[in-house]
Amino acid sequence: MELQESTQIQLITDIKDKIKAAQYRALLNVNEQLIRLYWDIGNDLNKNTAYGNKFIDTLAQEIKLAFPEAKGYSARNLRYMKRFAREITDQNFLQTVSAKLPWSHNLVLIEKLKTMESRYWYGVKAIENGWSVAVLEHQIATGLIDREQGGKLQNFEKLLPEIQSELAIQTMKDPYIFDFVEFDEKMKERQIEDELVKNITNFLLEMGKGFAYMGHQYPLTLGKDEFALDILFYNTVLHCYVVVDLKTKKFIPEYAGKMNFYLSLVDEKLKTEIDNPSIGLILCRDKNRTVAEFALKDMVKPIGVSEYRFTQELPDEIREAFPEAEKWAEHIVIETADVTGRNEN
């Protein structure tokens, strides 16, 4: 009897999962059809430029009369469609990136970015990570593409297997942008840690994919001595512990030796057989690249060194590019109904 009930429960679960999967595929299909429709409309309008702006106003009115329940066909949105079709001419991009993202995301890609290469990079990242439109704007504003693709200071390639090394390097940024911390020059390391943890959602977003927060001032005992790790993460993509050591000063070689010790301790006390070797990340306010490279040269543990910045320290043009609080909220609301078109109010 119990076996029969168990089988029934499993069958119910399987059917529910299939329904959810079908609903998701249907939603994706609706979005793909909508993006394709918007591109086709924009392409038609681009072929008939002689009609002018007044024609677009008339077209918007006619569509509203014919389809009173339909949203997304205002004159403003029709002009966006023209620009979308004019700038996205690569059909492969349209199918593999644009069609997989909501309309609001596509508008960010064409409004905030100038090259197809950068649009592709951010578009794929948005798909892979499920970014909201506000997060996409934030990542563009902070120059994520440069912070992830720049020369990263680490010894991962020397100490980790190739696949693990590549993934670890991909997770690094330089610099990290902690724009959610109200920075004061008098702040000490522990105070910055507290602010990062207080804003853990934003902190995890900046750290990147797969980071799970384990604790800060994480205690580990060796003999009679107790040591505290500034911040401890577990990364579910890398399948390893990540120790973050936060410094308010310029990098000095002693930091690498200390991190090397911490990683040995974590591998001894926390790492299991199914975990990959633990990784260290030293975050400092400044660094001499030559000194840091030399300090990591003979370390036996995988360590990366990056700088970090606060919003107040960013150039005005970057700081002003951040979505305002009201816009963040507005974009989050848009996400719930994005397949019907961009908010037109």
Side-chain angles (χ1 to χ4, degrees):
M1 185 66 177
E2 289 182 2
L3 181 60
Q4 184 179 6
E5 289 180 358
S6 176
T7 304
Q8 289 176 349
I9 293 173
Q10 184 60 50
L11 178 59
I12 293 171
T13 301
D14 291 344
I15 292 174
K16 288 165 66 177
D17 288 343
K18 288 179 180 178
I19 292 172
K20 288 179 182 178
Q23 289 175 333
Y24 180 68
R25 288 195 299 272
L27 184 62
L28 284 179
N29 186 58
V30 168
N31 183 72
E32 289 178 10
Q33 294 300 319
L34 180 72
I35 297 302
R36 168 55 73 175
L37 173 62
Y38 281 3
W39 190 91
D40 286 341
I41 291 173
N43 192 45
D44 287 342
L45 292 173
N46 286 327
K47 291 178 180 177
N48 296 277
T49 54
Y51 293 151
N53 284 330
K54 287 187 178 180
F55 172 76
I56 292 181
D57 294 332
T58 301
L59 175 61
Q61 293 172 1
E62 290 294 329
I63 293 174
K64 188 172 183 179
L65 289 173
F67 307 99
E69 300 299 321
K71 296 180 180 179
Y73 301 98
S74 67
R76 178 168 173 259
N77 221 30
L78 289 171
R79 291 186 177 93
Y80 275 131
M81 293 176 205
K82 281 188 66 177
R83 181 177 177 184
F84 178 55
R86 185 172 63 250
E87 298 199 23
I88 307 301
T89 57
D90 185 340
Q91 291 297 308
N92 182 60
F93 181 91
L94 183 64
Q95 293 173 8
T96 61
V97 179
S98 292
K100 306 299 182 185
L101 291 169
W103 178 234
S104 56
H105 288 63
N106 278 285
L107 292 185
V108 169
L109 294 179
I110 64 173
E111 288 178 334
K112 302 291 185 181
L113 301 168
K114 302 303 181 184
T115 68
M116 288 305 298
E117 291 78 8
S118 60
R119 288 168 179 167
Y120 180 83
W121 192 89
Y122 280 104
V124 169
K125 285 284 186 180
I127 294 168
E128 290 178 347
N129 296 285
W131 288 343
S132 69
V133 71
V135 171
L136 175 59
E137 285 187 322
H138 177 271
Q139 302 292 23
I140 292 172
T142 58
L144 181 65
I145 188 171
D146 295 322
R147 295 190 291 121
E148 283 202 358
Q149 292 188 339
K152 299 171 184 177
L153 212 163
Q154 41 73 33
N155 61 3
F156 300 155
E157 294 164 310
K158 176 182 175 182
L159 298 174
L160 296 173
E162 185 177 355
I163 295 178
Q164 179 78 355
S165 171
E166 289 178 0
L167 286 173
I169 293 172
Q170 288 173 16
T171 64
M172 278 186 69
K173 301 181 179 74
D174 193 12
Y176 286 80
I177 306 297
F178 299 142
D179 57 292
F180 48 88
V181 173
E182 291 294 330
F183 177 65
D184 186 321
E185 289 291 346
K186 297 179 181 179
M187 290 177 75
K188 297 181 179 179
E189 291 171 4
R190 184 71 65 84
Q191 291 174 307
I192 297 175
E193 286 176 33
D194 290 341
E195 285 298 310
L196 292 175
V197 173
K198 188 187 300 182
N199 296 275
I200 191 62
T201 300
N202 291 323
F203 187 21
L204 289 172
L205 175 63
E206 178 60 9
M207 290 304 297
K209 189 174 182 179
F211 278 87
Y213 172 70
M214 305 298 292
H216 81 299
Q217 292 303 306
Y218 193 95
L220 287 176
T221 302
L222 184 63
K224 294 182 179 180
D225 294 326
E226 186 173 278
F227 300 89
L229 311 180
D230 282 358
I231 304 171
L232 181 64
F233 292 102
Y234 190 88
N235 189 286
T236 57
V237 177
L238 298 171
H239 298 290
C240 71
Y241 288 97
V242 180
V243 179
V244 174
D245 203 14
L246 186 75
K247 301 299 180 184
T248 56
K249 299 179 181 179
K250 185 175 180 177
F251 175 86
I252 57 176
E254 288 88 329
Y255 295 161
K258 181 182 177 184
M259 177 59 78
N260 199 77
F261 169 78
Y262 282 162
L263 291 173
S264 294
L265 196 55
V266 170
D267 283 344
E268 174 69 24
K269 300 290 184 178
L270 301 179
K271 179 180 174 295
T272 68
E273 293 181 357
I274 64 172
D275 298 321
N276 288 318
S278 302
I279 291 172
L281 179 60
I282 301 171
L283 298 182
C284 49
R285 298 291 280 136
D286 192 14
K287 66 178 183 296
N288 179 310
R289 187 174 185 89
T290 302
V291 171
E293 286 177 345
F294 199 79
L296 297 183
K297 183 179 177 182
D298 294 323
M299 291 293 145
V300 298
K301 294 295 184 180
I303 301 171
V305 179
S306 292
E307 298 176 6
Y308 62 93
R309 299 281 182 272
F310 301 103
T311 305
Q312 298 93 321
E313 302 168 321
L314 299 177
D316 291 341
E317 61 272 18
I318 294 180
R319 188 167 64 249
E320 291 169 1
F322 286 134
E324 298 174 358
E326 294 79 5
K327 284 198 172 185
W328 278 68
E330 173 190 336
H331 286 314
I332 291 170
V333 171
I334 287 173
E335 295 308 304
T336 63
D338 214 23
V339 293
T340 63
R342 187 177 176 92
N343 189 329
E344 299 168 26
N345 295 327

